[in-house]
Amino acid sequence: MTLSEWINRNKRDGRAKRLDYNYAFLDEVSKREIRRKILKAVAIPGYQVPFGSRELPVARGWGTGGIQITLSIVLPEDILKVIDQGCDGSVNAVNIKRFVNVVTGVRITTDTREATLIQTRHRIPEEPMTERQILVLQVPYPEALREVEPSEAVTRRMHAEADYSRMWLFLYEDIVKFDEITIGYRYPVTVNGRYIMDPSPIPRWDIPKLHMADTLYLFGAGREKRIYAVPPYTPVVPLEFEDYRFRVEDFKGRACERCGATDTYLDEIIDDVSGRRLWFCSDTGYCDKRCSR
Amino acid sequence: MKPLLEVRGLTKLFGEGCDHCLPGGVAADEGNRCSRCGTVVGCGGVSLEVYPGEVLGVVGESGSGKSTLVRLIHFEYDATAGEVYLNNGQDAPRQNLLEASSFRRRQVRSRAMGIVYQNPTLGLRMQVSSGGNIAEKLLAAGWRNVSEIRRRAADLLRRTEIPVERMDEPPVNFSGGMQQRVQIAKALSNNPQVLLLDEVTTGLDLSVQARVLDLIRSLQRELGIAMIVVSHDLGVIRLLCQRTLVMRHGRVVESGLTDQVFEDPQHGYTQLLVSSQL
């Protein structure tokens, strides 16, 4: 049986439903636990809250942290958008939104403005988001200090004591060796003046969007069993020195080949035929919207 | 004058302890291991004061608890009992630091203390640049300007006679004596009020020993830092320290002015120690 046959077999009243599963796939007790952990994460911005990561029909490490958060908070009236590296149409994004649609019947969109709940991997949408929206980020490695300390017991103690000199030393050594901070993505940030947090592998371009945002950001790491959050209007500051400032990627002189945008995060693509370097918006939903204007 | 550092009844037992050894630990003449439960007394009820600008010596044979004492004061071990106070003139209420949160202890350690170990691998990150090693301490104390950090690190390395051109080399490339001087530079970087020196010259050859000792003495005169110097070498203690504690089996058996202790030892063990000197 193909997936579409399976979905059609369970359609009632035009809405996809899978009756032998609970609403939103997870059982109510699991969802309640995850919601409780989300509340804790919101209460302590940037702190990694351990949670009991459930089995899902995809392997851990394939966005299960984000999926579990989405499934735990999704309401029947929500409008869902799922993106992977900015793209609405990639295999992961399509499969995740189809799955959530099957188990909940929520409406799907590619429009950032229309969506009430957005699950994403590695990007924050270009269009500003509002207080009425929630962004769920998939996180592969929730521990920002893992680069400098392999032991989980030690990193937890370091967070507890705000003992972050080794992370700063890592940046200092980078400057000594390369005369700049060479972290391209997963750029460590200080949340609410307290915890150093891994913002998930978003590009530096997206880091400023976390600062004093209107939107609630939830981070889920299914394999590593951690949930953390940046509540709305929380200061999020990238680690930087007074004389070596944080900066975002530089796309000066480049524009999207499709929509002509010069103020978006661009992906570099090499044309197989001509061998030319082309630049396109990484946020496909936004690019489509600009093209259809 | 008020002591800068006060230690009262500092005790560290390695093991459970039992009725036989517990109040106060095993009798000193019995050794430092309880014959019933096997508990080892690392440090048994040690009290001491260090006054501002003073250098206090701690001597004793190996295993007498000298290093344990220093590391307890540096909060590296959890003490079994005792009190540690640092009267550094800050407004914070007087608090037994052994009962303070680990967060507060870390703050005190990174702002007011420095330590130099016998083995440079304990005090330095061998693969990180020497400048970076010093920077780590400054970063912990809240410095956030790379050029200021580098200026300070270069200054300290110059003072400790490390060629500044080698600032970005890791200590693993350096000789033992140089590593020891990098450690001293690191320990001094945050302008500590108390510097703990744990057998700093042991294992260095004589000419290098002399230079390191010269360095410590001149830094002490110049900066007026209070120090606790641990050594089994009476020569080092005689050279650096005004007052001395003699330790055996984890306890202080004698204390007083350094000259007095060495010229007129009262305790049998101190007499043995002084007469064993070559």
Side-chain angles (χ1 to χ4, degrees), chain B residues 8 30 39 81 89 92 104-105 116 133 148 151 163 171 175 219 261:
Chain B
R8 299 265 162 269
E30 204 186 310
T39 294
R104 166 122 168 81
R105 287 201 300 240
V116 182
N133 268 290
E148 277 173 24
R151 217 173 301 131
S175 71
L219 288 170
V261 170

Side-chain angles (χ1 to χ4, degrees), chain A residues 67-80:
Chain A
I67 295 171
Q68 285 176 82
I69 290 180
T70 301
L71 293 176
S72 301
I73 61 176
V74 67
L75 299 171
E77 60 268 28
D78 267 324
I79 302 171
L80 178 74

Side-chain angles (χ1 to χ4, degrees), chain B residues 53-108:
Chain B
E54 186 191 32
V55 185
L56 178 72
V58 181
V59 278
E61 60 195 4
S62 56
S64 61
K66 309 183 297 281
S67 295
T68 308
L69 173 66
V70 177
R71 286 176 199 191
L72 283 169
I73 294 173
H74 199 240
F75 312 124
E76 284 171 48
Y77 299 142
D78 285 325
T80 311
E83 296 159 50
V84 173
Y85 299 98
L86 190 67
N87 307 314
N88 55 356
Q90 279 161 17
D91 290 339
R94 184 178 152 93
Q95 185 190 16
N96 176 8
L97 293 173
L98 296 180
E99 285 168 359
S101 67
S102 54
F103 183 81
R104 166 122 168 81
R105 287 201 300 240
R106 174 166 300 280
Q107 274 193 323
V108 168

